[in-house]
Amino acid sequence: MFNNQFKQIAIKAATMLLGVSLLAGCTPATTTTTTAGTTASGTIAATTTAGTTAAATTTAQTTAAATTAANDSLAKIKAAGVIVMGTSPDYPPNEFYVLDANNQKQIVGSDIMLGQAIADKIGVKLENKPTDFQGVLSNIQAAQVDMAIAGFSYTEGRKSAMQYSDGYATESEVGWQGILMSKTNAAKYTSLDQIKAAKLKFGAQSGSVQQEMAAKLTDPMSLKIMGTLDALALSLNAGDIDALVISTDNATNMLKTFSDLMILPKETFNLDPENLYAQNVVAFPLGDQHKSLIEVANEVIKAAKADGSMEKWRAEALELAKKAVE
Ligand code: ARG
C-alpha cells in the first residue's frame, strides 16, 4: 500500500518535473521571439508571445497524447495476447473453484464468464490472477492486473483508488446485505438495535463493503476481519465469531454446508435498504491509459445484458456452484 502510494507520488512528481522541463526547454525560444516582437511593435510582441505559448502547449499536448498511446492498456493487452484479471474465488456464483476431470481446481462463475467475454471481444486469452479480496484491491491499485471482476460493489469511496465499468449486475435483484448467525443465536434478536447493544463478535471479509457495515454493528475490538469467506464461515460455524455480514446471494453454499446457520429476516435486518451497494462493476486501475479498455468492457456488458447472456451466465454459474470446492 505504502509502496504503491509512494510509487504514485513518485510518478506524479516525475510527470510534473517533465512538464517543467518541457516548459523550460521552450523558454529561450519564447524569449527570443518576444524580444524580436518587442523590437517591431508592442502589440505584435504580445500576439507573438501568445502564439508561441500556444504552440508550446500544443507540443506538450502532443507529447502527452503520444505517451498515452504508447501506454494504452488495450494496445498492450493486444500485443501481449492476454488480459490479466484479478478475482477472489470464494464467492459463488460470481467466482469459485470446481474440480475438473483431472481433479485440478478451476476458477469458474458468472464473473469469469464476463471476463472471458471481454477477452474474446479483444481477441486475447483470459488469465485469472486469484487472491483473496483484499489482494484483488491491492492488485488493482498497483496495476498488477488489467482489470478485476470479483463481485465488486460500486462505492463512491473506492473511486479514489480505481475506475469502474458500467454496472453489470444488480445485487438487489438476487440478494441483499444481511447477517448470518447460528439459529440458536438468531433466536435472541428481534431488532438491529438489540444486535448493536450486544457488541457481538462480527466477522467480515477484509476490504469489502461488508466490513464497513459490520463496523457499524459492533466495537472495533469485536470486529473479526478475515481474508476469505470460507475462513469466516468456518469460524462462525465453530463459534469463534457470533455473526457474519454477508451478501445473501453469495451465502447459499454456506447455508447448505453449515445447516445450523441462518440469515436473519430481511424485513428487519437488511443492512443496505437503500441499495447503495447493489451495483456490481468491473474494476480498472486509475489512469487515462485504461480508457479504451473500459470502453470495450462497457460494450461487452451492454451487449450481454441486452442479448440475455448475463442471465444465462448466472444460471450456468448457479448450476456449477452446486459443485463448488474451497
Ligand atoms: N460486494 C462486496 C464488495 O465489493 C464484496 C465482494 C467480495 N468479493 C469476493 N469475490 N469475495 O466489497
Side-chain angles (χ1 to χ4, degrees):
M1 270 291 256
F2 279 116
N3 268 341
N4 180 38
Q5 263 169 12
F6 179 74
K7 211 163 86 188
Q8 281 177 357
I9 290 167
I11 291 170
K12 265 189 201 146
T15 316
M16 279 163 69
L17 277 177
L18 184 69
V20 170
S21 59
L22 272 176
L23 286 177
C26 291
T27 310
T30 312
T31 314
T32 315
T33 320
T34 311
T35 315
T38 313
T39 319
S41 130
T43 321
I44 295 173
T47 319
T48 314
T49 310
T52 313
T53 313
T57 314
T58 312
T59 314
Q61 274 169 357
T62 314
T63 314
T67 316
T68 312
N71 271 335
D72 182 66
S73 307
L74 187 57
K76 280 185 174 174
I77 289 164
K78 281 182 183 162
V82 57
I83 181 164
V84 181
M85 171 170 126
T87 193
S88 167
D90 62 348
Y91 214 53
N94 296 56
E95 51 265 344
F96 52 97
Y97 288 110
V98 292
L99 294 177
D100 67 11
N102 304 317
N103 260 357
Q104 295 297 309
K105 277 169 127 188
Q106 291 291 337
I107 304 174
V108 294
S110 50
D111 283 355
I112 310 301
M113 297 178 205
L114 171 60
Q116 186 62 56
I118 295 172
D120 290 347
K121 173 93 181 177
I122 303 172
V124 293
K125 218 174 120 276
L126 175 72
E127 183 186 313
N128 290 313
K129 189 162 181 162
T131 59
D132 63 20
F133 188 64
Q134 184 65 56
V136 180
L137 293 168
S138 310
N139 280 337
I140 268 292
Q141 274 175 277
Q144 293 297 307
V145 290
D146 297 311
M147 64 175 177
I149 314 189
F152 268 109
S153 307
Y154 172 98
T155 78
E156 287 293 316
R158 285 182 185 148
K159 272 186 168 172
S160 58
M162 59 181 68
Q163 306 187 77
Y164 298 135
S165 70
D166 297 336
Y168 66 85
T170 309
E171 254 184 81
S172 58
E173 285 166 8
V174 290
W176 44 284
Q177 306 299 333
I179 300 174
L180 191 66
M181 250 190 212
S182 74
K183 289 177 181 164
T184 330
N185 267 339
K188 299 181 194 161
Y189 306 103
T190 53
S191 75
L192 262 182
D193 283 340
Q194 283 175 0
I195 287 193
K196 285 181 194 165
K199 305 285 178 219
L200 299 177
K201 273 188 249 160
F202 253 103
Q205 185 165 40
S206 181
S208 69
V209 297
Q210 286 79 20
Q211 177 176 348
E212 283 175 39
M213 293 179 214
K216 292 187 188 140
L217 297 173
T218 195
D219 280 346
M221 290 296 290
S222 305
L223 211 55
K224 305 293 168 199
I225 303 306
M226 295 181 200
T228 67
L229 282 161
D230 298 314
L232 284 158
L234 283 172
S235 220
L236 178 61
N237 193 56
D240 297 336
I241 55 176
D242 304 314
L244 181 55
V245 177
I246 193 143
S247 154
T248 60
D249 187 40
N250 308 99
T252 313
N253 280 29
M254 288 181 197
L255 291 170
K256 223 172 54 195
T257 311
F258 304 108
S259 55
D260 186 43
L261 301 181
M262 66 172 277
I263 291 170
L264 300 191
K266 184 177 184 184
E267 305 79 66
T268 320
F269 300 98
N270 183 357
L271 301 177
D272 182 25
E274 287 162 30
N275 291 323
L276 296 178
Y277 298 112
Q279 243 348 284
N280 275 177
V281 290
V282 182
F284 302 87
L286 292 176
D288 280 351
Q289 67 272 34
H290 307 289
K291 231 171 127 182
S292 41
L293 173 60
I294 299 175
E295 272 162 28
V296 173
N298 283 339
E299 277 170 37
V300 173
I301 289 168
K302 200 170 161 197
K305 276 172 146 179
D307 71 7
S309 298
M310 206 70 85
E311 264 172 55
K312 195 188 88 198
W313 294 335
R314 181 174 160 83
E316 280 174 26
L318 281 171
E319 201 47 42
L320 279 169
K322 294 179 182 162
K323 292 183 286 178
V325 296
E326 258 175 50

